[in-house]
Amino acid sequence: MADINARTESSDLPRGTAMTVTTGPIRGSRKIHVGPLKVAMREIMLDPSCGEAPLRVYDPSGPYTDAAATIDIAAGLPEIRSDWIRARGDVEEVDQREVRPEDNGLKGPDRSGGVEPFPNVRRRVLRAKPGANVSQMHYARRGIITPEMEYVAIRENVGRAELREKAARDGQDFGASIPDYVTPEFVRDEVARGRAIIPNNINHPESEPMAIGRNFLVKINANIGNSAVASDVAAEVDKLVWSIRWGADTVMDLSTGRNIHDTREWIMRNSPVPIGTVPIYQALEKVNGIAEDLTWEIFRDTLIEQAEQGVDYFTIHAGVRLAYIPMTAKRVTGIVSRGGSIMAKWCLSHHKESFLYERFEEICEIMKAYDVAFSLGDGLRPGSIADANDEAQFSELATLGELTQIAWKHDIQVMIEGPGHVPMHKIKLNMEKQLEACGEAPFYTLGPLTTDIAPGYDHITSGIGAAMIGWFGCAMLCYVTPKEHLGLPDRDDVKVGVVTYKLAAHAADLAKGHPAAQLRDDALSRARFEFRWRDQFNLSLDPDTAESYHDQTLPAEGAKTAHFCSMCGPKFCSMKITQEVRDFAAKQNAPADTFIAATSPDEAERGMADMKEKFRLSGSELYLPTS
Amino acid sequence: MADINARTESSDLPRGTAMTVTTGPIRGSRKIHVGPLKVAMREIMLDPSCGEAPLRVYDPSGPYTDAAATIDIAAGLPEIRSDWIRARGDVEEVDQREVRPEDNGLKGPDRSGGVEPFPNVRRRVLRAKPGANVSQMHYARRGIITPEMEYVAIRENVGRAELREKAARDGQDFGASIPDYVTPEFVRDEVARGRAIIPNNINHPESEPMAIGRNFLVKINANIGNSAVASDVAAEVDKLVWSIRWGADTVMDLSTGRNIHDTREWIMRNSPVPIGTVPIYQALEKVNGIAEDLTWEIFRDTLIEQAEQGVDYFTIHAGVRLAYIPMTAKRVTGIVSRGGSIMAKWCLSHHKESFLYERFEEICEIMKAYDVAFSLGDGLRPGSIADANDEAQFSELATLGELTQIAWKHDIQVMIEGPGHVPMHKIKLNMEKQLEACGEAPFYTLGPLTTDIAPGYDHITSGIGAAMIGWFGCAMLCYVTPKEHLGLPDRDDVKVGVVTYKLAAHAADLAKGHPAAQLRDDALSRARFEFRWRDQFNLSLDPDTAESYHDQTLPAEGAKTAHFCSMCGPKFCSMKITQEVRDFAAKQNAPADTFIAATSPDEAERGMADMKEKFRLSGSELYLPTS
């Protein structure tokens, strides 16, 4: 097995550029590629003693966790979708829009950090042929099952084949339509209906297709990106690879400072997961941070710049309409969305309706030429418990529903962003209103945070809300790190945020009754019960942390196979005693099944009387001979 | 202000004894004592610029956070309840049961760690006079309002006086009966009905009274205790003080190794919060860990030993009946409760009904002589998602309901322990069944963990379940630390566990609609919006971590008063922009209220048309003169 959490440095980089990422398999796992489409999955190896097959799990980590892959960050990842895209015959190659100095901030790029532009930059990019629409939704509506849809179907099915013979469905799905088995046709139908999206820009052929939708596994997003105050390009590429290693399904690049174009190019070329951005952030940099100076032309040019780079979904705050803005004036925390506040300022300054709203159909034309999906931003989301579910929030949601219909008219894929800060009892209403207002377009929420009083722990205040709204039907959960409200997340924060959201999404999958979701829980519980410590670590979301916590109390190698743990010690282990109970029950005349029939205290009472009688008849020998 | 997180070493300890605890106020707060009963509370000081009064919060941390208190661990805490207990005239002083070597484990105490018996040990203890019953429930049912009940009423009311004039109730309480204002009579009535308990052994006069019940604030418990493998006495006393500093409302001493009696004495004499234990753990030590050798006599003697020391509630697994045990044989994880597995082994070995079940009324006689509350243990709780809500679990719950009625017949206070591992969609049924089976006796749950796949993060997998079941009506949440399933929690783990559960309990209070719960959220959100960074830290559950996270990105002192943060930088702050939006709106002819009337996109459209007209009439001046 390759080194655990090895760091790979790219050899082919310009002088002065330090760029390293984490590579090598997740501890105890190996990468596999299934079928002719080579769908990436991970297999968790189990101790031979248990007689169980390796457990396959969904895996968005890309080639970085493949021991057989060669990683060269300066070259970028292999373009696995390139042939699929070109084979459809509806794209043409055009010259990429010239990169201008202001694309990296009004003062141009800052090279002081030693990071150069991505070396392997393309000069030619793809665009739909005139009049063509290259969105997955467009294909789906014409009845075409794309390789992307087939890939998604295989990916979503992990574990379901085995399960169909083993267990009944269990869960509460709040009206979702989760199939026993995901067929490519089901994927097509979901995309055609707008209930799922496959965000895959034709200029991001490195991406492994994935779906976001209520009837698929709940996905999570990790945010990365530098700001004017901190962070640099190398750290962002590292965070991208690190966040998908631990399970991020998509990544948003929320960079706001200089080098914004170059950072994105490094990220796009090295990302196997869809990348989302908020284009208004870059547009604002181009006008030196003065919201009033934004124009449709600058914004439009930014959309094309980013679409050509391969961004898979754009957050667009087109629901922040002029008339809604004053609804926020009496809020405790006003407008907390950056995009929302930029547009609010623009609208009020010009006393005009938002150009994002007014030019929405023109935006659609750009989206369909590259298959960029909309992530309709909730610019008026509540920033505190006090502001949850208010008029401003739900007015904007109604507009997002109206815009969804317009996008769908153009066969553009859409998801809807959601709050924010919402106490537990107001979460369900968010999901219900979103489904109704937006025609079941996938919901993509930030948290929600269920209380405001725990800065430093907002991955948890929001993990609670995320698990709940995921259960209720939210399709993707945008992670929150421990640094939320306090500072920029570092590598450790990114990992904690991703793992927290991965467990919240999984808790939601379990509660929704996703077939096969419980296989991993059960495998881990069996390993726990049988004291297979290494299997227990390896089956967990974060094997490194699990093993290191165990070793803090019992570092000896022998403790990895010991039939006890540090909590109770060798003499006093409930799991050990349970095994003795089983062994004892097996030795008794009366098999365990005799007792299992007892379903009430009364019946149990009778069961005991029977047992006593059997015991008496057997001569009151407590331990009967085994043979 | 005293030092932050100072460490106080007791000066009056025997040679070789190192015993330190953390003292001094929580950052930015001061201890206050309200009314003639001197009810302990904490006041969070706010920046004078905001014009807000200090915010009072519930505070279980005891004298350790009082700058005016002198802490001497070798002497123990002041006996604040001593006069109240004696004034009732129903107790007598008797010689304490002689401490025997086996009280500290069969091999006797282990002094190698340098820790001696508690020096200030009492030789005389209190017991009810013959025929008397000193339980709070007994007083309550006779219509007596005790000082303990008055103390609880004042404590629970924090913030409600102000709120009554300000805000309407908001929340979903699932049938709870939360009053606008907590009167001593309400407390009495809740205790009399069995819906709440005040765990306060007459031999623990150091305790500050608190209530556990569905109609009071949701409480949390922290587990501490050494084991045969690790931990020592000094570390456990330190963890006690550390866990209440961050908000633990009760603490359970789950020690299982040697020094078990001495450890408990140190803990009792230094604890301002109720202490719970699982007496069967100590009884098992007395028979060298051999469950079959347990006898009623050894158990009974252990109950008296611990009751005399002042333990406030006993976990007793009297619901593990012989007939239920085989129901666990086909479980994925069998019996995971230590107490449950000990009793299961005893029952099967002897082929007899549990002596805890058969001697339950005799146990009641002991409880009422000291006012020890029952915490009826769930020895058959599920240890994995797969085993949740099964026959074994709910059969035991029915028996716990039956035992509750017996205890209530004796006027003994009771709470019921609950699971465990339960996926989200099965949590609510646990609460509903418990309320029904146990006559609304308070529920006290461990988590529940909502997935099994995240060892290392089980404070979060369980925090999700804890917040939800707290909302549904659970009265106390037993914390889980990041080390759950992996090792013994250290100081850092204890803090993370406590803060996680504190935020989960608070999220539940918000969702239930507890009056005044939201005051702290709102105060923090205002501080956040106004860039009062220090207030934001100080209002949080963990000011030290919040400030340290902030400082990792922006360490300069000036950044504490800066009107921006590291996430967006100085030019690009949504909260700053929102303030500009407000200022702008205020300058306009049309006040914000004109717009707030718009409640739908259509109305908003009309509002905008009005605004345009006003704008035109005002001469198209974008920025009108302010005066």
Side-chain angles (χ1 to χ4, degrees):
Chain A
M1 191 192 294
D3 280 355
I4 295 301
N5 292 346
R7 304 272 291 167
T8 295
E9 184 157 346
S10 212
S11 55
D12 191 28
L13 286 175
R15 287 182 314 280
T17 304
M19 193 75 91
T20 57
V21 297
T22 303
T23 57
I26 306 271
R27 188 188 290 254
S29 288
R30 70 171 181 206
K31 193 89 176 186
I32 57 167
H33 293 92
V34 175
L37 291 180
K38 296 188 165 54
V39 177
M41 294 183 187
R42 179 154 72 91
E43 268 190 352
I44 303 173
M45 324 296 277
L46 301 174
D47 193 281
S49 69
C50 72
E52 297 179 26
L55 187 84
R56 288 188 179 181
V57 295
Y58 193 102
D59 178 19
S61 62
Y64 302 99
T65 53
D66 186 351
T70 306
I71 301 298
D72 182 352
I73 309 156
L77 294 177
E79 301 190 347
I80 62 166
R81 290 200 305 128
S82 200
D83 292 345
W84 308 347
I85 295 164
R86 286 168 196 271
R88 291 189 276 257
D90 51 4
V91 298
E92 60 185 10
E93 224 174 58
V94 297
D95 282 339
Q96 187 169 18
R97 169 190 167 285
E98 200 66 43
V99 178
R100 301 181 197 129
E102 66 266 29
D103 294 349
N104 282 302
L106 199 69
K107 293 176 191 157
D110 172 12
R111 302 291 179 214
S112 62
V115 172
E116 300 292 318
F118 183 70
N120 192 23
V121 74
R122 304 164 309 181
R123 302 289 165 216
R124 304 275 288 173
V125 296
L126 297 184
R127 192 175 64 191
K129 287 179 179 168
N133 181 339
V134 297
S135 88
Q136 292 288 324
M137 186 180 216
H138 188 64
Y139 302 133
R141 286 182 164 182
R142 285 188 297 160
I144 297 169
I145 294 174
T146 63
E148 284 86 348
M149 297 169 199
E150 290 187 57
Y151 193 106
V152 162
I154 295 167
R155 219 174 181 183
E156 292 278 336
N157 270 329
V158 174
R160 292 199 193 188
E162 300 104 272
L163 192 78
R164 275 199 293 181
E165 297 136 37
K166 281 191 211 155
R169 291 282 288 272
D170 180 21
Q172 183 180 3
D173 65 10
F174 298 103
S177 307
I178 301 166
D180 286 338
Y181 203 78
V182 180
T183 60
E185 167 56 22
F186 179 80
V187 177
R188 186 204 61 74
D189 189 55
E190 289 291 292
V191 172
R193 294 171 68 156
R195 291 206 300 205
I197 67 171
I198 300 177
N200 275 152
N201 185 321
I202 53 171
N203 287 310
H204 186 202
E206 301 91 346
S207 64
E208 299 172 355
M210 55 79 71
I212 302 165
R214 183 160 62 126
N215 298 318
F216 298 110
L217 295 166
V218 176
K219 304 303 186 300
I220 67 167
N221 172 72
N223 291 333
I224 61 171
N226 61 356
S227 82
V229 174
S231 199
D232 61 36
V233 177
E236 299 314 314
V237 174
D238 181 44
K239 279 189 209 163
L240 160 73
V241 174
W242 188 238
S243 62
I244 62 177
R245 180 177 186 84
W246 301 112
D249 295 290
T250 78
V251 168
M252 290 195 75
D253 172 16
L254 302 183
S255 295
T256 58
R258 290 165 75 181
N259 299 335
I260 200 165
H261 178 97
D262 290 347
T263 302
R264 185 163 50 240
E265 190 69 24
W266 280 98
I267 288 172
M268 292 307 314
R269 300 290 73 81
N270 286 288
S271 175
V273 303
I275 297 292
T277 63
V278 188
I280 201 86
Y281 293 178
Q282 185 181 17
L284 190 73
E285 295 293 333
K286 293 181 181 176
V287 294
N288 205 24
I290 301 170
E292 304 90 294
D293 292 352
L294 283 168
T295 64
W296 161 243
E297 289 68 29
I298 289 168
F299 185 75
R300 182 180 184 283
D301 181 58
T302 304
L303 292 185
I304 292 169
E305 172 190 350
Q306 298 197 10
E308 286 187 352
Q309 284 185 292
V311 172
D312 301 287
Y313 60 88
F314 288 152
T315 293
I316 298 202
H317 297 94
V320 180
R321 298 192 61 183
L322 178 61
Y324 303 154
I325 296 164
M327 294 176 187
T328 66
K330 291 192 173 172
R331 278 179 160 184
V332 170
T333 45
I335 300 174
V336 295
S337 150
R338 288 187 284 181
S341 59
I342 293 163
M343 289 316 298
K345 190 163 185 192
W346 188 92
C347 291
L348 278 191
S349 302
H350 294 281
H351 235 295
K352 275 164 73 174
E353 187 57 276
S354 153
F355 59 81
L356 300 177
Y357 180 78
E358 299 209 316
R359 305 279 191 160
F360 194 74
E361 302 227 24
E362 288 174 72
I363 297 173
C364 289
E365 294 300 331
I366 297 169
M367 309 298 260
K368 71 168 73 158
Y370 305 92
D371 195 11
V372 183
F374 276 112
S375 184
L376 292 177
D378 55 335
L380 304 182
R381 68 169 175 266
S384 55
I385 296 298
D387 296 340
N389 292 15
D390 73 352
E391 184 192 24
Q393 183 194 337
F394 286 143
S395 296
E396 181 186 33
L397 182 62
T399 297
L400 299 185
E402 173 199 327
L403 295 171
T404 299
Q405 295 301 331
I406 294 171
W408 283 352
K409 198 181 69 186
H410 291 269
D411 294 352
I412 311 292
Q413 306 189 93
V414 181
M415 61 181 169
I416 309 291
E417 297 186 9
H421 294 237
V422 184
M424 283 191 286
H425 65 295
K426 294 185 176 176
I427 290 176
K428 194 148 182 290
L429 185 64
N430 275 274
M431 191 67 231
E432 289 164 354
K433 276 191 176 278
Q434 188 273 340
L435 285 173
E436 194 193 335
C438 304
E440 297 191 86
F443 206 20
Y444 164 35
T445 61
L446 179 76
L449 286 73
T450 54
T451 164
D452 303 330
I453 69 168
Y457 300 79
D458 278 333
H459 59 307
I460 308 179
T461 65
S462 69
I464 294 166
M468 291 175 69
I469 204 161
W471 175 25
F472 299 150
C474 184
M476 186 157 78
L477 310 170
C478 181
Y479 89 166
V480 170
T481 78
K483 290 274 171 62
E484 183 76 12
H485 298 119
L486 297 169
L488 277 178
D490 62 19
R491 209 173 131 87
D492 290 341
D493 299 317
V494 165
K495 180 175 174 181
V496 169
V498 168
V499 175
T500 299
Y501 270 64
K502 204 75 190 164
L503 72 86
H506 184 74
D509 286 338
L510 285 174
K512 287 172 81 174
H514 263 290
Q518 202 181 306
L519 291 182
R520 189 168 177 178
D521 296 77
D522 293 352
L524 194 145
S525 294
R526 284 192 298 272
R528 183 171 281 158
F529 191 71
E530 292 163 15
F531 293 102
R532 285 182 275 118
W533 284 101
R534 285 213 184 282
D535 286 357
Q536 199 180 145
F537 305 149
N538 294 343
L539 284 161
S540 72
L541 288 178
D542 177 1
D544 299 342
T545 297
E547 181 156 349
S548 114
Y549 281 2
H550 174 269
D551 288 0
Q552 281 174 29
T553 323
L554 290 176
E557 191 53 32
K560 304 289 197 315
T561 51
H563 274 209
F564 65 92
C565 62
S566 57
M567 288 79 86
C568 308
K571 253 191 350 191
F572 195 77
C573 171
S574 62
M575 293 210 176
K576 189 155 159 260
I577 291 177
T578 300
Q579 190 53 50
E580 292 174 24
V581 165
R582 282 188 190 174
D583 295 344
F584 185 88
K587 284 184 198 161
Q588 292 291 329
N589 279 352
D593 287 350
T594 317
F595 284 119
I596 288 174
T599 55
S600 71
D602 279 356
E603 279 190 73
E605 197 87 59
R606 286 196 297 277
M608 196 179 73
D610 290 348
M611 191 64 182
K612 272 184 183 157
E613 180 59 13
K614 280 191 184 139
F615 187 58
R616 197 188 58 72
L617 292 176
S618 71
S620 298
E621 284 278 343
L622 196 59
Y623 291 87
L624 299 174
T626 45
S627 61
Chain B
M1 189 192 297
D3 280 353
I4 296 302
N5 292 347
R7 303 272 291 169
T8 295
E9 185 157 347
S10 211
S11 55
D12 191 27
L13 286 175
R15 287 181 315 279
T17 304
M19 194 76 93
T20 56
V21 296
T22 304
T23 58
I26 305 271
R27 188 188 289 254
S29 287
R30 69 172 182 202
K31 193 91 176 180
I32 58 166
H33 294 91
V34 176
L37 291 180
K38 295 190 167 48
V39 178
M41 293 183 188
R42 177 155 73 92
E43 268 189 353
I44 302 172
M45 325 295 275
L46 301 175
D47 193 280
S49 70
C50 73
E52 297 179 27
L55 186 85
R56 288 188 179 182
V57 296
Y58 193 101
D59 177 20
S61 63
Y64 301 100
T65 52
D66 186 351
T70 306
I71 301 298
D72 182 352
I73 308 156
L77 293 177
E79 302 189 347
I80 62 165
R81 289 200 305 128
S82 200
D83 292 344
W84 308 346
I85 294 164
R86 287 168 194 270
R88 292 191 275 256
D90 52 5
V91 298
E92 60 185 10
E93 224 174 59
V94 298
D95 282 340
Q96 187 169 17
R97 168 189 168 287
E98 200 67 43
V99 177
R100 302 183 196 126
E102 65 266 30
D103 294 350
N104 282 301
L106 199 68
K107 294 177 189 157
D110 172 12
R111 303 293 179 212
S112 62
V115 171
E116 299 292 318
F118 183 70
N120 192 24
V121 73
R122 302 161 313 177
R123 302 290 164 215
R124 305 275 288 171
V125 296
L126 297 182
R127 192 175 64 192
K129 286 179 178 167
N133 181 338
V134 297
S135 88
Q136 293 288 324
M137 187 182 215
H138 188 64
Y139 304 133
R141 286 181 164 184
R142 286 187 298 159
I144 297 168
I145 293 174
T146 63
E148 285 86 346
M149 296 169 199
E150 289 186 59
Y151 193 105
V152 162
I154 294 167
R155 220 174 179 183
E156 292 279 336
N157 271 328
V158 174
R160 293 199 194 189
E162 301 104 87
L163 192 78
R164 276 200 293 182
E165 297 137 35
K166 280 190 211 157
R169 292 282 287 273
D170 180 21
Q172 183 180 5
D173 65 11
F174 297 103
S177 306
I178 302 166
D180 286 338
Y181 202 77
V182 180
T183 61
E185 167 56 22
F186 179 80
V187 177
R188 187 204 62 72
D189 189 55
E190 289 291 293
V191 173
R193 295 172 68 157
R195 292 206 300 206
I197 67 171
I198 301 176
N200 273 154
N201 186 321
I202 55 172
N203 286 311
H204 187 202
E206 301 91 344
S207 64
E208 299 171 354
M210 54 79 71
I212 301 165
R214 183 161 62 126
N215 297 318
F216 298 110
L217 295 165
V218 176
K219 305 302 188 297
I220 67 166
N221 171 74
N223 291 334
I224 61 171
N226 60 357
S227 82
V229 174
S231 199
D232 61 34
V233 178
E236 298 314 313
V237 174
D238 181 43
K239 280 188 209 163
L240 161 73
V241 175
W242 188 238
S243 63
I244 62 177
R245 180 177 188 84
W246 300 113
D249 295 290
T250 79
V251 169
M252 290 195 76
D253 172 16
L254 302 183
S255 293
T256 59
R258 290 166 74 182
N259 299 332
I260 200 164
H261 178 97
D262 289 348
T263 302
R264 188 183 315 116
E265 190 69 23
W266 279 100
I267 288 171
M268 293 305 316
R269 299 289 74 79
N270 285 289
S271 176
V273 303
I275 297 292
T277 62
V278 187
I280 202 84
Y281 291 179
Q282 186 180 15
L284 190 73
E285 295 293 333
K286 292 179 181 178
V287 295
N288 204 24
I290 301 171
E292 303 90 295
D293 291 353
L294 283 167
T295 64
W296 160 243
E297 289 69 29
I298 289 168
F299 186 75
R300 181 181 185 282
D301 181 59
T302 305
L303 293 184
I304 291 168
E305 172 191 350
Q306 297 198 10
E308 286 187 352
Q309 284 185 293
V311 174
D312 301 287
Y313 61 88
F314 287 153
T315 294
I316 299 203
H317 298 93
V320 180
R321 299 191 61 183
L322 178 60
Y324 303 155
I325 296 164
M327 294 176 189
T328 66
K330 292 194 172 171
R331 277 180 160 184
V332 170
T333 47
I335 300 176
V336 295
S337 149
R338 289 189 282 183
S341 58
I342 293 164
M343 289 317 299
K345 190 163 186 191
W346 189 93
C347 291
L348 277 193
S349 303
H350 295 279
H351 236 294
K352 276 164 71 176
E353 187 57 276
S354 153
F355 60 82
L356 300 178
Y357 180 79
E358 298 208 316
R359 305 278 191 161
F360 195 75
E361 301 227 25
E362 288 173 74
I363 297 173
C364 289
E365 293 301 331
I366 298 169
M367 308 298 260
K368 71 170 70 158
Y370 306 91
D371 195 11
V372 184
F374 277 111
S375 185
L376 292 177
D378 56 335
L380 304 182
R381 69 168 173 267
S384 55
I385 295 299
D387 296 340
N389 292 17
D390 73 354
E391 184 191 25
Q393 183 194 338
F394 286 144
S395 297
E396 181 186 34
L397 182 62
T399 297
L400 299 186
E402 173 199 327
L403 296 171
T404 300
Q405 295 300 330
I406 296 172
W408 283 352
K409 196 181 70 185
H410 291 269
D411 294 352
I412 311 294
Q413 306 188 95
V414 181
M415 61 181 168
I416 309 292
E417 297 186 10
H421 294 237
V422 184
M424 283 192 286
H425 65 294
K426 294 185 175 175
I427 291 176
K428 194 149 183 289
L429 185 65
N430 275 273
M431 191 67 230
E432 289 164 354
K433 277 191 174 278
Q434 189 274 341
L435 285 172
E436 192 193 337
C438 304
E440 295 191 87
F443 206 20
Y444 164 34
T445 61
L446 179 76
L449 285 73
T450 53
T451 166
D452 304 330
I453 69 167
Y457 300 79
D458 277 334
H459 59 306
I460 307 178
T461 65
S462 69
I464 293 167
M468 290 174 69
I469 204 161
W471 175 26
F472 299 150
C474 184
M476 187 157 77
L477 310 171
C478 181
Y479 88 167
V480 170
T481 78
K483 289 274 171 62
E484 182 78 11
H485 299 118
L486 297 169
L488 278 176
D490 62 18
R491 209 173 132 86
D492 289 340
D493 298 316
V494 165
K495 180 173 174 183
V496 169
V498 167
V499 175
T500 299
Y501 270 64
K502 204 74 189 165
L503 73 85
H506 184 74
D509 287 338
L510 285 174
K512 287 172 81 173
H514 264 290
Q518 201 180 307
L519 291 181
R520 189 168 177 180
D521 296 78
D522 293 351
L524 195 145
S525 294
R526 284 192 297 272
R528 184 170 279 157
F529 191 71
E530 292 163 14
F531 294 101
R532 284 182 276 118
W533 284 101
R534 286 212 183 281
D535 287 356
Q536 199 181 144
F537 305 148
N538 294 342
L539 285 162
S540 72
L541 288 178
D542 177 2
D544 299 343
T545 297
E547 181 155 349
S548 113
Y549 281 3
H550 174 269
D551 288 0
Q552 281 175 31
T553 324
L554 289 176
E557 190 53 34
K560 304 291 197 313
T561 49
H563 274 212
F564 66 91
C565 62
S566 56
M567 287 80 84
C568 308
K571 253 189 355 191
F572 196 77
C573 171
S574 61
M575 293 211 176
K576 189 155 160 262
I577 291 176
T578 300
Q579 190 54 50
E580 291 174 27
V581 166
R582 281 188 190 174
D583 296 344
F584 185 88
K587 284 183 197 163
Q588 293 292 329
N589 278 352
D593 287 350
T594 318
F595 283 120
I596 288 173
T599 56
S600 71
D602 279 357
E603 281 191 73
E605 197 86 59
R606 286 196 295 278
M608 196 180 74
D610 291 351
M611 192 63 182
K612 275 185 181 157
E613 180 60 15
K614 280 190 184 141
F615 187 59
R616 197 188 59 75
L617 292 175
S618 70
S620 300
E621 282 277 344
L622 196 58
Y623 291 86
L624 298 174
T626 47
S627 61

